[in-house]
Amino acid sequence: MTDTTTEAPATAARGPVPLPSAIARLLIAVGAVGTIASTFLSWTWTSDFPGNLTVYGYPAGLQILALVGGALTLLFGLTLWDVKGLRWLNPANATSPVLLTALSAFAVCWFTGIAIAVDLGGLVNLDPGAFVAMAASALPVLGALALPHPAPGTGLRGYFTKPQQPRPGKVSPLAERGIITVGTAIGLVAFTYGIGIDNEASETFIGFLLLVVFAAWGLIHTGLVDRYATISAQHKAFASTLAFVAAVIFPFTQSDDHNANVGVNILIFATVALGLNIVVGLTGLLDLGYVAFLGVGAYAAALVSGSEYSPFSVHFPFWAAALTGMAASLVFGVLIGGPTLRLRGDYLAIVTLGFGEIFRITVNSLDGDSGPNVTRGPNGITQIPDINIFGFNLGVSHDVGGFTLGRFANYLFLMLIVTAIVVLVFTRAADSRIGRSWIAIREDETAATAMGINGFRVKLIAFALGASLAGLAGTVMAHVNYSVNPQPYQFAGAAPPNSAFLLAAVVLGGMGTVSGPLLGASVLYLVPEKLQFLQNYELFAFGVALILLMRFRPEGIIANRRRQLEFHETGQLDVPAQQTLTDEPAVTKAGA
């Protein structure tokens, strides 16, 4: 076995813990093994703490998360020993992925120990397994900090600086498809586990978030995430098909229809965020009232779907109601965009914010007292019947292959089809000539106009297309919720989707990408759903999260490859692997 880290490079400085590299690596391995072993011990004597942490030999709850964190720490720690077959996990032989994966296990173990003491009333409630876990999980952190410093003169910040990645070797197309399959399976398992955590077990979900955040951060530093994104882009059709299949499998993994309800609302939120991504991510227009288009589609569908509280005695089939909702949102998008899209920047943001408030106040006033009785004001339009497609009533449970699919599982399948349509429209539009015009407008509208692009027409198309996609999602949301009312269509403060959360989903996930808003919407909807105590502090919590994200990964969780050009502290331009400056179809202002 070759020792590749004992001799530190001349430019590397010793870490803050003065230990030889061999001892530091040994600490990492021993601590990771100790963390794994501790999960098979009892962590507390009572079952009052969420999860059954009282059983020997059977990890459960937060112990499973600690086990995963310990396994990741051991796996990445072995890359420092130059173990054959693991070099691809950490091709730069960097310290930061090892430290971050060690922090994932450390955070879970220490959070669990503190939570047990706080919830149950003192350290006396901790069994020996918890103390072993807390002590063992600290060893890999100390070992990682003792390794040669990756960036001299930067202090601890150097450990969280993404290292320069070597150009990855080529693999066969079959192996690339296998990598995509494994990545999709891991994503499905992680999402299923997270959404399956009981709402009352907030401690378990916090531990899940700690593990996911640090582990994902470590994977980003290894370059695996960027390489996975590159491979997925090369096999876009295969990756999209697998993602759709994984989403179809999800309802069959759930025995509780409540989780399917959460999945439906996540897809609605994500679909609307993807429509907003056309306006914000591709065209660069700041729209603060976008949720109003969702409301227009929902109200239009509610008025023509056969509700006894609708002033119109009509009952359109779903396809006609969906087209009505899309058409209404499209018309409003053109009417609002026509006189306002000649504005730029903050002025456009203020006008769109005003439109969102005007819509909410208007539907709240059409109650028969303040105005015509169309929307029933704050009472909304209720008792919207379930969708019936070709005799298949989505409101009734159905048995499929021995699995019972409830109402929300049926609507989940419908929303998967709607989301697939929106994704197809987004990708085709982004790759088209008009999409390249949107990108040119986003980068520099003056330069794009000088090159002959009709900026107003291009922006109006983006505004209208984004509005119609939001209206399509609104038609499904009206039927899922049985009713529509003005409360959700605010800029901020109400439960998602609202304009602030939609914009946050786009920025958090990654502007200009397909999977970014889908991931961002999932996170922003799932976290408040599972952490009920954050309901009064949602905006504060997500404000802090966005600040941290902008500091450490300003391009979002999933970066747009067209915009993933940045300056390092040395001033050199870093071009990701398999990408050159000629890949950018429009003007790119790197590091502006």
Side-chain angles (χ1 to χ4, degrees):
M1 186 177 296
T2 304
D3 188 350
T4 59
T5 59
T6 302
E7 295 296 332
T11 56
R14 182 65 59 191
V17 182
L19 291 175
S21 295
I23 297 179
R25 287 178 287 156
L26 185 61
L27 278 178
I28 295 171
V30 171
V33 172
T35 302
I36 295 172
S38 71
T39 62
F40 293 88
L41 303 175
S42 172
W43 284 17
T44 182
W45 62 273
T46 174
S47 59
D48 291 342
F49 189 80
N52 191 1
L53 309 185
T54 64
V55 180
Y56 284 87
Y58 188 81
L62 285 161
Q63 290 174 327
I64 296 177
L65 302 176
L67 175 62
V68 174
L72 288 174
T73 303
L74 180 61
L75 194 62
F76 281 94
L78 291 176
T79 63
L80 300 178
W81 293 81
D82 199 23
V83 175
K84 187 176 181 180
L86 294 181
R87 187 62 185 269
W88 62 273
L89 283 173
N90 190 5
N93 204 29
T95 304
S96 55
V98 181
L99 176 60
L100 289 166
T101 51
L103 284 174
S104 69
F106 176 82
V108 172
C109 292
W110 280 77
F111 166 76
T112 304
I114 295 172
I116 291 174
V118 172
D119 289 358
L120 302 182
L123 294 175
V124 69
N125 295 285
L126 273 67
D127 275 359
F131 291 107
V132 172
M134 296 171 71
S137 63
L139 296 180
V141 177
L142 295 176
L145 291 175
L147 292 172
H149 200 297
T154 59
L156 286 176
R157 185 164 60 92
Y159 287 95
F160 301 99
T161 301
K162 185 178 178 181
Q164 183 72 27
Q165 299 295 330
R167 184 178 293 274
K170 292 185 178 180
V171 296
S172 66
L174 181 61
E176 291 179 339
R177 288 182 171 85
I179 293 171
I180 296 173
T181 303
V182 171
T184 304
I186 293 174
L188 176 61
V189 170
F191 180 78
T192 302
Y193 183 87
I195 202 172
I197 296 175
D198 192 344
N199 289 0
E200 301 298 326
S202 58
E203 293 87 351
T204 305
F205 190 77
I206 292 175
F208 174 75
L209 288 180
L210 291 172
L211 175 67
V212 169
V213 168
F214 282 108
W217 197 357
L219 291 176
I220 289 173
H221 275 231
T222 63
L224 292 177
V225 173
D226 291 337
R227 276 184 280 170
Y228 182 82
T230 301
I231 292 174
S232 297
Q234 293 171 351
H235 302 276
K236 185 181 297 185
F238 181 77
S240 301
T241 302
L242 270 185
F244 185 81
V245 170
V248 171
I249 293 174
F250 167 74
F252 294 97
T253 65
Q254 304 299 308
S255 58
D256 186 0
D257 204 35
H258 172 73
N259 293 336
N261 181 25
V262 175
V264 171
N265 285 284
I266 287 176
L267 283 179
I268 293 173
F269 190 11
T271 302
V272 180
L274 195 57
L276 178 61
N277 199 24
I278 294 177
V279 179
V280 176
L282 294 181
T283 317
L285 304 176
L286 184 56
D287 188 346
L288 299 182
Y290 185 77
V291 74
F293 297 122
L294 174 70
V296 170
Y299 267 95
L303 289 172
V304 299
S305 293
S307 169
E308 62 179 88
Y309 292 100
S310 170
F312 309 113
S313 300
V314 293
H315 188 177
F316 288 1
F318 172 69
W319 64 267
L323 290 177
T324 301
M326 292 181 65
S329 297
L330 176 65
V331 169
F332 272 87
V334 173
L335 291 178
I336 299 302
T340 61
L341 286 179
R342 299 187 187 278
L343 302 174
R344 297 187 185 184
D346 298 339
Y347 301 101
L348 177 62
I350 293 172
V351 170
T352 54
L353 176 62
F355 163 65
E357 290 302 303
I358 288 172
F359 167 78
R360 183 179 63 84
I361 294 172
T362 299
V363 296
N364 198 50
S365 301
L366 298 179
D367 57 357
D369 295 328
S370 303
N373 186 14
V374 178
T375 63
R376 298 184 69 233
N379 295 322
I381 301 173
T382 58
Q383 296 187 17
I384 300 173
D386 282 305
I387 296 173
N388 194 307
I389 301 177
F390 303 118
F392 189 88
N393 190 339
L394 300 188
V396 179
S397 298
H398 299 274
D399 291 329
V400 178
F403 295 90
T404 300
L405 299 179
R407 176 177 183 270
F408 293 115
N410 297 331
Y411 277 103
L412 180 61
F413 289 126
L414 176 62
M415 271 308 304
L416 282 175
I417 297 174
V418 172
T419 303
I421 294 173
V422 173
V423 169
L424 179 63
V425 171
F426 180 90
T427 53
R428 297 296 294 174
D431 293 336
S432 67
R433 184 174 181 178
I434 191 69
R436 298 182 183 274
S437 299
W438 289 336
I439 295 170
I441 291 290
R442 178 193 71 196
E443 299 299 336
D444 194 324
E445 184 174 353
T446 302
T449 304
M451 294 298 294
I453 296 176
N454 187 331
F456 174 75
R457 183 178 68 88
V458 167
K459 291 190 291 185
L460 187 60
I461 292 174
F463 215 70
L465 180 59
S468 61
L469 296 180
L472 175 60
T475 61
V476 180
M477 188 179 75
H479 290 86
V480 170
N481 296 335
Y482 286 126
S483 64
V484 291
N485 63 81
Q487 181 64 24
Y489 309 111
Q490 302 180 18
F491 171 71
N498 56 56
S499 291
F501 275 46
L502 289 171
L503 184 60
V506 174
V507 176
L508 177 69
M511 292 189 295
T513 65
V514 174
S515 51
L518 300 179
L519 178 60
S522 301
V523 172
L524 291 183
Y525 191 93
L526 196 58
V527 170
E529 175 70 20
K530 297 299 180 180
L531 303 181
Q532 299 291 335
F533 65 90
L534 277 180
Q535 286 186 348
N536 296 328
Y537 306 97
E538 288 179 2
L539 293 179
F540 173 77
F542 290 128
V544 172
L546 287 174
I547 290 173
L548 294 175
L549 185 74
M550 292 301 100
R551 171 61 184 85
F552 294 104
R553 192 169 175 83
E555 65 270 27
I557 298 175
I558 300 176
N560 185 344
R561 295 179 65 239
R562 284 178 176 145
R563 308 184 73 181
Q564 202 177 12
L565 299 174
E566 60 183 2
F567 284 107
H568 282 286
E569 293 179 354
T570 59
Q572 296 178 348
L573 189 63
D574 174 32
V575 183
Q578 301 184 11
Q579 178 183 350
T580 62
L581 291 176
T582 56
D583 289 335
E584 173 61 75
V587 180
T588 302
K589 299 186 294 183

